[in-house]
Structure formats: structure tokens, C-alpha cells
Amino acid sequence: SAVISQKPSRDICQRGTSLTIQCQVDSQVTMMFWYRQQPGQSLTLIATANQGSEATYESGFVIDKFPISRPNLTFSTLTVSNMSPEDSSIYLCSVSPGTSGSRRVGEQFFGPGTRLTVL
Amino acid sequence: AQSVAQPEDQVNVAEGNPLTVKCTYSVSGNPYLFWYVQYPNRGLQFLLKYITGDNLVKGSYGFEAEFNKSQTSFHLKKPSALVSDSALYFCAVRDSDMDSNYQLIWGAGTKLIIKP
């Protein structure tokens, strides 16, 4: 299984500022995902980030608000820009190392999350 | 369109009793089905999955789930619940016919509370 770390683990930010969340994986993976989760709620996919290509954003999420970098196969960042209290949430990084035909197909491994509070 | 339903927001079970957390799904092709668990203040952990083969799949911590194609269900079960099983459980699905799309569709989650 992949081991994923995220920085920071939590932060309290002022309205209008930006925060960059880092995601580091201990192995090379092609597929990386960024999710948002309200405590006790389901996961909402923000975007899929593949190394070497532009991130693909889900409906309701735009690159200007959530720019993503994916410089190599073990690292990604998500920036939450011009934050408002509505951005307060847990942000999760996830990877999917399995490919078609692999016994690990479909499994996703998650980082511990970044708990963001915007005042 | 793909979807997952977890009809129960919360399930309460006495310790030692069997537990079931329900999940139904809808995909156009053949499903890949997953259960994940999230313990308080921790990230999600993979529990088990159904890809193909035996309809009864066994996973971590004594959990198992049964794939029922006719009922489009993938209920999570455990014969004897432990207080430490108390957590948030998520069912997820992916359409296996969409190999180029690795996204999982997530259920709303079910909070499992095991009482001593």
C-alpha cells in the first residue's frame, strides 16, 4: 500500500488569503486525487491530477480557485485561493496505484487530511 | 449515471451482535465495489472490495461483504461487533467498463455506533 503524508495537518487562516497543501507519496503513482470532506460527511472530488497533464476539475471547482501542481509522480500541491469561511473543510489527498488488470485495481489510498478553518 | 446509496445515516449495534451496513449501487456496466472506514480524526482506510469472482469477499478487521447483482447491493457485515468498530463507513463504486476513469463514486457514509 502507498503511504501518504500531507502538510499542514491543520491550519486556521484569514479570509482572503491562500493556503497551499502538500501531498507526498512514498511510491510513484500516476493517479492522484484531491477531495474535500466536511466532518462526518461524504467525500467531494475536487480534481484529478495526473503527472504531466493539466488537472481535471469536477463541476463546481475551478482552477483559479483551486490550482493544482503535479511536478512528479510522488508529489502534488493543492492551493485554496482567496479563502472564505465556506472553504473551511478537510482536504484529502488520495492516490490510485492500481491499473486495469492489477489486483489492486480501483483501490485508493488516502492521506491523513488537512483540516482548514477560515475565519 | 453511476450512483451509490447508503440508506442509513447511522446504525446502532450492541457489542457482540452481528452488524450490517447497507449499500446499493447503480452503474451502466459491471461494478467494482469498495468499502472504506474512517475512524475519528483519521484518514480513510480501505476495508475490502469486489472486482470479480466469489460474491462473498472478506476484508480487514473481520468484515465481509456480499455482492448481490440482482439486488444491486453490496452490504457490509460482521458476525460479532466490537466497540472499536465504531466509525464512519463509506461504500464506493466504479464502473469497470470505464477503464480510463479511475474515479470512485462515494456513498454518503453510515455512522456505525457499537455500544458496550
Side-chain angles (χ1 to χ4, degrees), chain A residues 31 33 35 37 40-43 45 48 58 98-100 103-108 110 115, chain B residues 32 34 36 38 41-44 46 49 51 88 90 94 99 102-104 106-109:
Chain A
M31 309 290 296
F33 306 92
Y35 289 91
Q37 182 188 26
Q41 303 295 317
S42 189
L43 285 73
L45 182 63
T48 302
E58 297 301 302
T99 58
S100 178
R103 66 184 182 89
R104 309 307 298 275
V105 64
E107 291 180 31
Q108 289 190 14
F110 287 82
R115 184 180 290 263
Chain B
Y32 291 162
F34 306 83
Y36 286 80
Q38 187 174 35
N41 299 314
R42 293 172 62 179
L44 277 83
F46 168 78
K49 69 180 179 184
I51 301 297
L88 190 56
F90 291 99
R94 205 195 101 193
D99 258 0
Y102 290 88
Q103 292 180 22
L104 295 180
W106 296 86

Side-chain angles (χ1 to χ4, degrees), chain B residues 59-81:
Chain B
S60 307
Y61 313 119
F63 284 94
E64 59 186 29
E66 185 166 14
F67 169 59
N68 187 318
K69 188 172 183 178
S70 63
Q71 297 185 5
T72 61
S73 67
F74 190 58
H75 301 332
L76 181 70
K77 299 182 179 182
K78 186 172 182 179
S80 179

Side-chain angles (χ1 to χ4, degrees), chain A residues 2-118:
Chain A
V3 177
I4 304 167
S5 60
Q6 285 185 235
K7 290 181 180 179
S9 59
R10 58 178 61 225
D11 207 343
I12 300 174
C13 301
Q14 295 297 320
R15 181 195 300 260
T17 63
S18 297
L19 176 72
T20 295
I21 301 168
Q22 299 180 7
C23 178
Q24 180 74 53
V25 190
D26 70 341
S27 57
Q28 294 184 341
V29 292
T30 303
M31 309 290 296
M32 189 173 281
F33 306 92
W34 286 99
Y35 289 91
R36 187 165 72 181
Q37 182 188 26
Q38 297 295 334
Q41 303 295 317
S42 189
L43 285 73
T44 300
L45 182 63
I46 297 171
T48 302
N50 294 340
Q51 195 271 336
S53 62
E54 294 289 327
T56 303
Y57 290 83
E58 297 301 302
S59 176
F61 298 96
V62 295
I63 187 171
D64 290 345
K65 175 67 175 178
F66 297 100
I68 289 171
S69 77
R70 185 79 202 273
N72 57 52
L73 291 172
T74 63
F75 187 78
S76 177
T77 66
L78 169 76
T79 299
V80 186
S81 304
N82 188 24
M83 288 184 285
S84 66
E86 292 71 34
D87 294 320
S88 297
S89 189
I90 299 168
Y91 291 84
L92 295 165
C93 169
S94 169
V95 302
S96 182
T99 58
S100 178
S102 163
R103 66 184 182 89
R104 309 307 298 275
V105 64
E107 291 180 31
Q108 289 190 14
F109 300 98
F110 287 82
T114 296
R115 184 180 290 263
L116 171 62
T117 302
V118 184

